[in-house]
Amino acid sequence: MQEADIGLIGLGVMGENLALNIADNGYTIAVYNRTADKVDAFLGNAGTLSDKVMGSGDLATFVKMLKRPRSVIVMVKAGEPVDAVIAQLKPLLEDGDVIIDAGNANYHDTVRRFSELDGTGIGFLGIGVSGGEEGARHGPSIMVGGSEAQWQNAEAVLTAISAKFDGEACCAYLGTGGAGHFVKTIHNGIEYADMQMIAEIYGVMRDGLGMSPEECAKVFADWNKGPLDSYLIEITHHVLAARDVGSDLPLVDVIVDAAGQKGTGRWSAIEALNLGITATTIEGAVAARSISSMKEERKRGEDLYGAGIKGNATISLEALEKALLAGKIAAYAQGFAVMAKASEENGWNLPLDTIAKIWRAGCIIRSRFLDQISQSFAGGTSSNLLTQPAFVDLMKDCNGSLRAVVATCAVNELPAPCLSSALAYFDAYRQARGTTNLTQGQRDFFGAHGFKRFDQDGDFHHKWPSLIGK
């Protein structure tokens, strides 16, 4: 009986495309799905790849199809469904086999699963896979966490199917336990921020400058030839240029302005807060998606207060381009700072330069300046991106435009939570003396929390006046 090089459970859109990608790269793959009809349909539609795919609607039979040591990719909904699949697989697997969760998992779940399987002889890898449906089929960015020894079981296959940038595979082992899924979470947080800032710039074009979707599309197409060159800018051009088949209206004008979210952006903001690291651009993006879902409340708000000023903004397209670049740098700086702190806290030793490299192709946030980011972190430094020479020069050139755009949004009543957060972060980061000396005084007044002094070492407490009875 033919044996498969690797197995995959879960034939949703991502699972199907990942399986075809594996087969396309010359490996034999076995598939299983809880609904056996999906297995039959997948095998029937494999076409020229049919000799590289096999499968069963029976889990035990599926496991027997795999070469030892077995590697089983799990592509099911995050949370309890993953735990259920692991429970079903455990009695069927043997020493040296490995379960690979390739979904968008909360990294705390990954740490728990890694720990629960530790000592059983069955390994567990949590891998972040970015690139959406197209990436899964033709080459995603892959972020691996777990046991390095057991990563070697699947290394050849996963490296082969990953995206390539100048011949380098966009796949890397990043650390033990939940390292891979944590990095994917922060990737998605940066993605949230990047998308939100693009939307805010589009809002200035549409509502501040009175530009049509077609005009906006042309601008984004031009920007994709310069320093903003990235996947998200490229698809923004296509989204804005698309026409609705039924009405022939610009498609973007018939799409409801209420964004969905699956949790990864929120997780990244929560982890940043837990680590005590500023990630205001990510928080702003999560908040923007949340308020976008309040469609009826926003309608009532407009009735009560009126909408923003329409079509009267005075700002250049060059300023908008530079503002978006500055905001993007701030978002990446925050995301990488969160990863650096998590690496320190968890003992992962995350290779920040390698992370930037494996994001250069395949993933949703791939962009031109990831090469510069990788070079900035080369040699193991984890200093904030805003202190790196290449980005110091860029921010010096672009921060004035970010300031002008945020001011324009404020004056014209155009919401810009992410761009505003990026500017506030930049300003706070470069202010040697801030205003929290007053905050420390307040904390000491009401809670005797103490404070430090410039002129003396140690902790101090002031005898404040009593306000009881006043």
Side-chain angles (χ1 to χ4, degrees):
M1 175 176 154
Q2 183 186 17
E3 288 185 308
D5 299 300
I6 196 166
L8 184 142
I9 295 175
L11 289 172
V13 172
M14 289 290 287
E16 282 193 355
N17 281 287
L18 206 61
L20 292 172
N21 185 359
I22 291 168
D24 225 4
N25 277 277
Y27 293 94
T28 301
I29 181 164
V31 299
Y32 165 82
N33 196 81
R34 185 181 58 178
T35 307
D37 288 350
K38 293 205 75 170
V39 176
D40 294 336
F42 176 79
L43 297 177
N45 294 326
T48 59
L49 296 174
S50 59
D51 61 330
K52 290 292 181 182
V53 298
M54 52 200 300
S56 173
D58 176 72
L59 188 61
T61 303
F62 158 79
V63 170
K64 289 176 182 177
M65 291 177 171
L66 306 177
K67 290 178 184 176
R68 294 200 59 202
R70 304 178 184 92
S71 295
V72 182
I73 299 172
V74 177
M75 291 290 286
V76 301
K77 188 176 179 181
E80 291 182 3
V82 177
D83 290 319
V85 169
I86 292 172
Q88 292 164 8
L89 277 173
K90 278 174 67 176
L92 302 174
L93 298 180
E94 300 172 85
D95 283 359
D97 295 345
V98 62
I99 299 170
I100 305 169
D101 180 8
N104 272 338
N106 186 313
Y107 98 100
H108 293 288
D109 285 338
T110 305
V111 171
R112 171 179 56 80
R113 290 166 186 147
F114 180 79
S115 178
E116 288 172 352
L117 287 170
D118 190 31
T120 67
I122 300 168
F124 186 77
L125 296 176
I127 68 169
V129 178
S130 178
E133 179 181 350
E134 184 178 340
R137 180 64 183 87
H138 300 290
S141 173
I142 299 176
M143 296 145 262
V144 182
S147 165
E148 187 168 11
Q150 285 161 327
W151 146 238
Q152 292 170 3
N153 283 16
E155 181 177 3
V157 176
L158 296 180
T159 300
I161 69 169
S162 70
K164 306 298 185 294
F165 184 89
D166 287 345
E168 289 186 70
C170 294
C171 173
Y173 174 78
L174 302 177
T176 60
H181 275 145
F182 185 89
V183 170
K184 176 56 163 54
T185 295
I186 301 305
H187 165 284
N188 284 26
I190 296 171
E191 176 187 310
Y192 269 51
D194 207 343
M195 292 174 70
Q196 176 59 28
M197 287 188 284
I198 291 171
E200 290 171 17
I201 292 294
Y202 155 68
V204 176
M205 291 179 180
R206 183 191 70 185
D207 298 330
L209 300 177
M211 293 172 63
S212 68
E214 294 89 345
E215 291 170 328
C216 295
K218 290 175 184 176
V219 172
F220 280 100
D222 288 340
W223 286 356
N224 199 48
K225 300 170 186 174
L228 283 172
D229 175 17
S230 65
Y231 174 73
L232 285 173
I233 293 293
E234 182 180 8
I235 68 169
T236 299
H237 150 66
H238 290 293
V239 171
L240 289 167
R243 311 288 301 189
D244 177 46
V245 175
S247 65
D248 198 39
L249 292 169
L251 181 61
V252 73
D253 284 345
V254 302
I255 297 174
V256 175
D257 56 322
Q261 50 183 319
K262 294 185 176 180
T264 49
R266 184 169 63 250
W267 293 344
S268 57
I270 290 169
E271 294 308 325
L273 289 169
N274 285 338
L275 291 164
I277 300 296
T278 299
T280 51
T281 56
I282 297 172
E283 293 166 20
V286 173
R289 290 201 188 189
S290 296
I291 201 168
S292 79
S293 68
M294 300 159 54
K295 184 69 174 174
E296 293 306 313
E297 287 187 63
R298 290 191 288 117
K299 286 180 181 177
R300 289 198 296 273
E302 182 171 329
D303 290 341
L304 289 168
Y305 297 105
I309 301 169
K310 303 293 184 182
N312 296 320
T314 305
I315 194 78
S316 71
L317 293 176
E318 181 185 8
L320 292 177
E321 180 183 21
K322 287 188 173 183
L324 186 51
L325 182 58
K328 190 181 182 84
I329 292 168
Y332 276 82
Q334 291 179 353
F336 274 87
V338 173
M339 288 190 290
K341 184 63 175 179
S343 180
E344 178 187 323
E345 293 281 319
N346 292 284
W348 287 331
N349 195 29
L350 291 178
L352 299 182
D353 57 337
T354 298
I355 291 168
K357 281 184 177 181
I358 65 174
W359 287 353
R360 292 178 301 177
C363 77
I364 301 301
I365 62 172
R366 59 187 184 263
S367 62
R368 175 186 291 191
F369 78 175
L370 278 161
D371 252 338
Q372 291 170 279
I373 293 177
S374 180
Q375 291 164 16
S376 294
F377 289 122
T381 180
S382 60
S383 299
N384 191 294
L385 211 57
L386 292 180
T387 68
Q388 301 296 328
F391 292 97
V392 170
D393 291 341
L394 279 171
M395 287 302 285
K396 282 182 176 179
D397 181 50
C398 295
N399 86 85
S401 294
L402 178 59
R403 193 174 311 283
V405 169
V406 170
T408 297
C409 288
V411 169
N412 288 274
E413 302 172 29
L414 303 172
C418 230
L419 291 169
S420 300
S421 294
L423 178 62
Y425 172 69
F426 173 71
D427 284 342
Y429 188 82
R430 65 194 185 91
Q431 189 175 41
R433 188 179 185 191
T435 56
T436 48
N437 50 331
L438 176 59
T439 305
Q440 289 299 88
Q442 292 169 327
R443 293 177 70 240
D444 189 57
F445 194 118
F446 64 68
H449 293 291
F451 53 84
K452 294 188 181 297
R453 299 173 59 103
F454 285 118
D455 55 352
Q456 299 176 50
D457 292 334
D459 296 306
F460 296 86
H461 169 64
H462 183 70
K463 186 172 177 58
W464 303 101
S466 173
L467 300 184
I468 295 175
K470 291 189 178 182

